[in-house]
Amino acid sequence: MPYITTDNINKINAELTNFCNAACPMCARYFIDGVLNKGKVNNTHTTLNFLKDKIGTKIISQLKHFSSCGNLGDASMNPQCLDIYTWLRSTNKNCKLELHTNGGARNKEFWVGLAKLNVSVVFAIDGLENTNHLYRRNVKWQKLMDNIKSFIQAGGDASWQMLVFKHNESQIDSCKKLAIKLGFRKFDIQQSARWSDFDHLGNWRKFDKLPVDDYYLEKSSSLEPQKVGTGGNSDRMPIKVESLNSKNIICKSCDHANKNYEIYIAANGDVSPCCWLGDLSQHESKNIISNYKKVNLNHSSLEEILHGEFFNALETGIKGEKGSYRLQTCYFTCGLS
């Protein structure tokens, strides 16, 4: 069966910007030692015309799910965010529209507008008024609450997603109660997957606490390390795994059984099957990309990208064909069959 094509795509995760109002220490905007990943952030918004020209109404009309959960930015920071979701809704009335955000930007009219468009919003809120700012730096609690209330009271479908650390683990029940009181429809907790990663010098670091300003972020003692798919956890170190070469990789972005075919569009125009592959020029995918213009919508059409070298290499690696390069990211994220 074919891999992802312009005919079977039914899910898009588009990073609408690489700007963000927050400064979360364990975000991919930063190396794990707190150094900002300069050159990769605060320089690009995805425009409405870009989506119209590069994706088009045909593909948008066949989607069952469109979300914006970027690696480097918060979609609400895109000045055309509401215009983009208005176009998406007018093009596809049945598609589930979703946006992930820290909730600390924009005004009442913006959030009411999203609610009226039936856009589901996942708010990343990591504690209560006295703790949320310790991770979601620069997010003001009162502004956050005003935005949430505006969205929910306008009929918006809101979910609360909480990262748990030592400093907020005792507040889980209180957060859940507040979520119910405010009208959230879902409450979820998880632990960061970046308790081990590379610093800006390329050194692998593994730790249980991270210095931030005049305090430390410490790993929760009440949660198991976050499992990522079926393949690994937050303590994993990139190593050669014997079974990686002998079993089929499960690709959840190309799931024939469930008829799920997904692509991720980074704010810079790069296209990949999912956000877990990260920045294509910095992370593991660089090993199977020889020409970055051929994976970028600013230089190549979506059809050319999906039929090009990168996606073909991904497909042969997932199938385990002889001589293919298999991404360990795929192993650790989605796992093996």
Side-chain angles (χ1 to χ4, degrees):
M1 297 182 70
Y3 197 50
I4 304 166
T5 70
T6 53
D7 291 325
N8 66 19
I9 291 173
N10 53 28
K11 184 176 181 180
I12 290 177
N13 178 8
E15 181 179 54
L16 297 185
T17 183
N18 61 19
F19 286 79
C20 188
N21 58 302
C24 306
M26 300 177 81
C27 173
R29 293 172 61 82
Y30 295 88
F31 293 102
I32 205 61
D33 50 358
V35 176
L36 185 67
N37 195 352
K38 293 180 180 180
K40 298 292 183 178
V41 299
N42 301 336
N43 56 31
T44 305
H45 295 301
T46 299
T47 66
L48 175 57
N49 283 337
F50 177 89
L51 291 174
K52 286 181 176 180
D53 294 342
K54 304 300 182 179
I55 305 302
T57 56
K58 176 186 177 296
I59 290 177
I60 296 300
S61 65
Q62 69 194 38
L63 298 182
K64 63 180 182 181
H65 192 178
F66 181 100
S67 64
S68 183
C69 180
N71 286 324
L72 302 174
D74 190 300
S76 68
M77 294 294 289
N78 185 324
Q80 290 189 314
C81 183
L82 197 56
D83 296 329
I84 289 171
Y85 275 97
T86 299
W87 172 68
L88 292 168
R89 179 54 72 213
S90 66
T91 305
N92 189 334
K93 298 186 183 303
N94 298 316
C95 180
K96 179 178 180 180
L97 302 181
E98 188 174 67
L99 182 149
H100 291 242
T101 179
N102 61 63
R106 306 301 289 261
N107 56 26
K108 175 181 178 180
E109 289 70 29
F110 174 83
W111 296 103
V112 170
L114 286 182
K116 297 302 183 183
L117 291 170
N118 194 25
V119 178
S120 298
V121 175
V122 179
F123 290 92
I125 311 170
D126 305 324
L128 300 173
E129 183 173 8
N130 65 334
T131 58
N132 184 58
H133 65 283
L134 295 177
Y135 185 73
R136 301 288 161 180
R137 293 187 299 170
N138 299 338
V139 174
K140 306 301 182 184
W141 183 260
Q142 190 56 57
K143 177 71 170 177
L144 170 63
M145 289 297 108
D146 290 344
N147 290 342
I148 289 170
K149 290 174 183 177
S150 296
F151 178 73
I152 293 177
Q153 289 171 8
D157 177 3
S159 299
W160 180 323
Q161 190 173 81
M162 178 180 178
L163 281 179
V164 179
F165 301 91
K166 186 175 181 179
H167 68 259
N168 66 6
E169 61 187 358
S170 63
Q171 296 181 332
I172 293 175
D173 288 341
S174 296
C175 289
K176 187 180 297 184
K177 290 177 182 177
L178 179 59
I180 293 172
K181 180 180 178 181
L182 291 171
F184 281 88
R185 298 186 184 179
K186 185 178 179 182
F187 179 86
D188 178 57
I189 63 172
Q190 56 183 269
Q191 183 159 253
S192 173
R194 292 196 77 199
W195 288 109
S196 53
D197 208 335
F198 294 101
D199 64 20
H200 76 287
L201 297 174
N203 300 311
W204 184 261
R205 295 178 58 184
K206 180 178 177 181
F207 46 89
D208 291 326
K209 66 179 184 178
L210 181 72
V212 180
D213 299 329
D214 59 348
Y215 59 92
Y216 284 91
L217 289 177
E218 297 185 65
K219 184 184 290 189
S220 168
S221 60
S222 63
L223 292 181
E224 292 294 323
Q226 180 188 349
K227 296 294 182 181
V228 182
T230 58
N233 59 52
S234 62
D235 290 325
R236 90 276 193 287
M237 168 71 182
I239 57 175
K240 292 184 178 180
V241 182
E242 186 64 30
S243 59
L244 181 62
N245 297 319
S246 61
K247 295 184 178 180
N248 292 326
I249 290 176
I250 302 167
C251 179
K252 295 180 181 177
S253 292
C254 182
D255 184 350
H256 297 304
N258 294 300
K259 297 182 179 180
N260 182 70
Y261 304 98
E262 176 182 358
I263 59 170
Y264 174 72
I265 305 172
N268 70 350
D270 284 349
V271 179
S272 59
C274 70
C275 65
W276 286 100
L277 295 185
D279 185 280
L280 300 186
S281 65
Q282 287 189 334
H283 298 128
E284 191 185 13
S285 294
K286 65 184 180 182
N287 295 317
I288 53 175
I289 298 174
S290 61
N291 186 339
Y292 283 94
K293 287 186 176 181
K294 293 186 177 181
V295 298
N296 189 284
L297 285 171
N298 291 298
H299 303 282
S300 301
S301 70
L302 181 58
E303 187 163 6
E304 288 172 335
I305 293 171
L306 295 179
H307 287 89
E309 175 190 48
F310 177 44
F311 273 77
N312 285 331
L314 286 170
E315 182 180 12
T316 57
I318 286 167
K319 291 179 178 179
E321 294 184 10
K322 186 176 180 180
S324 63
Y325 186 100
R326 313 196 76 182
L327 296 185
Q328 293 183 50
T329 307
C330 297
Y331 167 81
F332 284 118
T333 303
C334 290
L336 305 173
S337 61

